[in-house]
Amino acid sequence: PEHPARIINDVVDTIDLGSITGKYNGGGSTAYHPGMMLKTLIYAYSQGVYSSRRMERGLKSDTAFMYLAGMQSPDFRTICLFRSKHTENIKEIFVEVVRLCASLGMVGLGHIAFDGTKLKANASVRQTREKESLRKEIEKVKEEIDRLLTRSKEVDETEDLLYGKDSDGSGIPEEIKDREYRLKRLEEAKQQLEEEKLKKINVTDPDARLMQDSKKVIQPGYNGQIAVDAKEQIIVASDLTQDATDHYQLEPMIEEAEQTLGQLPEQISADAGYSSYDNLEYVEEKEVDAYIPDNKMESLDDKEESEKRYDKSNFTYDEESDQYICPEGKALGPYTKTRRKEREVIVYRGADCTGCLVKAKCTKAKIRTITRDGREPLQERMREKLRSQKGKEIYRKRAYTVEPVFGNMKWNRSKLIMSMRGKTKVRGEFILMCLTHNIGKIISKIQARTEESKACYYPMMAMAA
């Protein structure tokens, strides 16, 4: 009763598949039921099986696959087409599963941790081109096609003389077809590069972007985003972006979690990649208790006190007099204004630093200056909160809430390279991975119960439905 295949079967039967079944208009040959196809995909992903050919073999030889498919055996092309065709609808299924988890008491909304990971695209870095190299390759392929067509015409004329004009074999040679396909891909990539004003583009997957992973390796990829509830590690929001950084992902992820579950979390945590004044303004406006360090804070905390004595963080700002006081007790007053990233900042300048005995440690310029953004109090309050004992304990939750989820996806389920290409399809595949993770948590919860409590599972699923 507690086998993963049975629980996956029950979960998929519980949720609304209208977003997928609505695409079937009837007519033509009988189609495989989308519920069965989805069950097969989820079970395959839960077992670390991503190849449609391996799924086809499983449907003919593995009892769990046979059970979920009702002894039907769609071939690998049908499986691949289903996965590709319905990627845009997977998001709605994911939301249904999150709400099911919430109805089963698996989502607490007490603390949600955010994180992103680089996902290797199904493309080689060697297929990345700049505009000029694309132009040269297009010209080269065109010349090769012209040469092959000329040679093919000469061969056809010779064969017509030998065998007659009605002889078969007049189709386009494969070598020309291959080059015409390559030329089409190159021209499409060049057009996208110009339209999106990119410096480089990958010919195999034009939507992929060069990103640096945790091992400092630069390769074509995407940035997968998740928000994980701390209660039972349920992913409550997920998305995929082409941005290499996480700066702009916090707000849309919080909005998605709120829309899915109907309320905001009490606390959130995210690493320094999400730190920005915009994000700090947003969480304060939403009245969410947030814990987000900035890169400068983390680097300062790693230094000795003597090394960071003359860092800006040790200059005290006096709001009443509108001036900074340096560690040696000297004042820096407002000097001028400038713009940084479309925002006005004030430059504060010391009156006279020439006679200071520690000037060499403080600045290489003649006089020490400090810039101040009007939103810096947000960052200062965040640093103060994170450095408190309570703040450290709360932020520590992030490490064992969200990071193990990516570890499970990438290593336990061996998903190191995406199977599909194009942002829409890769996004759907990533969300399917997140959906599978959540169903895996339901499976673990059921399997961990005693024999007596397992008897409550089916009524509980019926109530959730």
Side-chain angles (χ1 to χ4, degrees), residues 86-325:
H86 298 292
T87 48
E88 293 183 9
N89 305 108
I90 292 295
K91 186 71 174 184
E92 295 174 49
I93 307 300
F94 168 79
V95 171
E96 289 282 332
V97 172
V98 173
R99 289 172 178 166
L100 173 62
C101 291
S103 69
L104 295 174
M106 299 175 69
V107 177
L109 283 173
H111 184 100
I112 289 182
F114 297 80
D115 202 5
T117 191
K118 302 303 185 294
L119 301 165
K120 171 73 171 65
N122 188 358
S124 169
V125 69
R126 291 177 295 180
Q127 292 299 318
T128 301
R129 303 283 189 274
E130 294 180 340
K131 185 175 181 179
E132 183 60 21
S133 62
L134 267 176
R135 185 190 65 77
K136 289 180 179 179
E137 190 169 353
I138 288 171
E139 291 301 319
K140 182 180 177 181
V141 174
K142 283 181 177 178
E143 289 173 6
E144 288 179 354
I145 290 174
D146 289 341
R147 178 174 53 80
L148 288 167
L149 283 171
T150 302
R151 192 179 74 183
S152 178
K153 183 179 179 182
E154 291 171 354
V155 171
D156 285 345
E157 288 173 351
T158 303
E159 288 182 347
D160 285 347
L161 290 172
L162 290 173
Y163 309 114
K165 292 186 178 182
D166 296 329
S167 176
D168 196 9
S170 58
I172 299 174
E174 287 299 320
E175 55 187 359
I176 296 179
K177 284 184 180 179
D178 291 344
R179 283 167 174 79
E180 286 182 337
Y181 175 74
R182 177 69 177 172
L183 178 62
K184 181 183 176 184
R185 295 296 297 270
L186 288 167
E187 288 179 335
E188 287 174 350
K190 182 172 179 288
Q191 182 180 352
Q192 187 171 337
L193 180 138
E194 291 172 346
E195 287 176 354
E196 298 183 18
K197 298 179 180 179
L198 304 172
K199 292 182 179 180
K200 295 182 179 181
I201 197 165
N202 190 279
V203 177
T204 307
D205 185 354
D207 287 344
R209 299 290 178 263
L210 289 178
M211 298 183 184
Q212 182 174 282
D213 63 17
S214 58
K215 296 181 179 178
K216 309 298 182 185
V217 177
I218 297 176
Q219 55 191 354
Y222 296 90
N223 186 352
Q225 294 285 317
I226 58 173
V228 181
D229 186 87
K231 186 176 182 180
E232 295 198 36
Q233 284 187 325
I234 297 298
I235 301 173
V236 296
S238 64
D239 205 356
L240 182 121
T241 176
Q242 294 166 297
D243 293 336
T245 67
D246 299 329
H247 293 321
Y248 307 106
Q249 311 313 320
L250 187 66
E251 182 175 340
M253 292 296 284
I254 291 176
E255 297 285 350
E256 182 186 328
E258 182 182 16
Q259 185 176 357
T260 299
L261 297 167
Q263 65 181 94
L264 287 166
E266 295 173 13
Q267 286 179 350
I268 69 162
S269 62
D271 64 20
Y274 293 87
S275 179
S276 70
Y277 288 135
D278 288 339
N279 285 339
L280 295 181
E281 273 187 323
Y282 174 76
V283 294
E284 186 164 279
E285 181 184 315
K286 284 282 189 178
E287 298 182 349
V288 175
D289 186 20
Y291 295 81
I292 311 170
D294 58 273
N295 287 315
K296 183 71 172 177
M297 173 188 166
E298 291 188 337
S299 64
L300 282 172
D301 288 347
D302 291 335
K303 292 181 179 180
E304 298 292 334
E305 287 299 323
S306 58
E307 294 180 292
K308 60 184 180 182
R309 177 171 173 76
Y310 299 103
D311 183 81
K312 176 183 174 180
S313 60
N314 285 327
F315 283 62
T316 306
Y317 178 71
D318 186 333
E319 190 172 355
E320 189 174 331
S321 61
D322 189 23
Q323 61 182 11
Y324 277 95
I325 307 298

Side-chain angles (χ1 to χ4, degrees), residues 40 43-44 49 51-69 71-74 79:
T40 301
Y43 182 72
V49 175
S51 163
S52 54
R53 286 175 172 81
R54 286 185 62 193
M55 292 180 204
E56 180 186 357
R57 290 197 293 271
L59 288 164
K60 296 174 181 176
S61 61
D62 187 293
T63 311
F65 274 107
M66 291 176 177
Y67 167 78
L68 288 168
M71 295 300 292
Q72 299 175 90
S73 53
I79 296 168

Side-chain angles (χ1 to χ4, degrees), residues 414-453:
S414 307
K415 193 56 175 170
L416 297 175
I417 302 176
M418 304 307 289
S419 304
M420 309 188 81
R421 293 171 181 165
K423 183 184 176 184
T424 300
K425 292 181 179 180
V426 176
R427 179 176 180 263
E429 184 180 17
F430 176 66
I431 294 172
L432 178 60
M433 290 161 56
C434 296
L435 181 156
T436 302
H437 167 85
N438 286 347
I439 294 179
K441 287 295 178 180
I442 296 175
I443 293 170
S444 298
K445 189 176 183 69
I446 300 304
Q447 291 177 339
R449 292 179 175 179
T450 62
E451 291 299 323
E452 182 181 353
S453 62

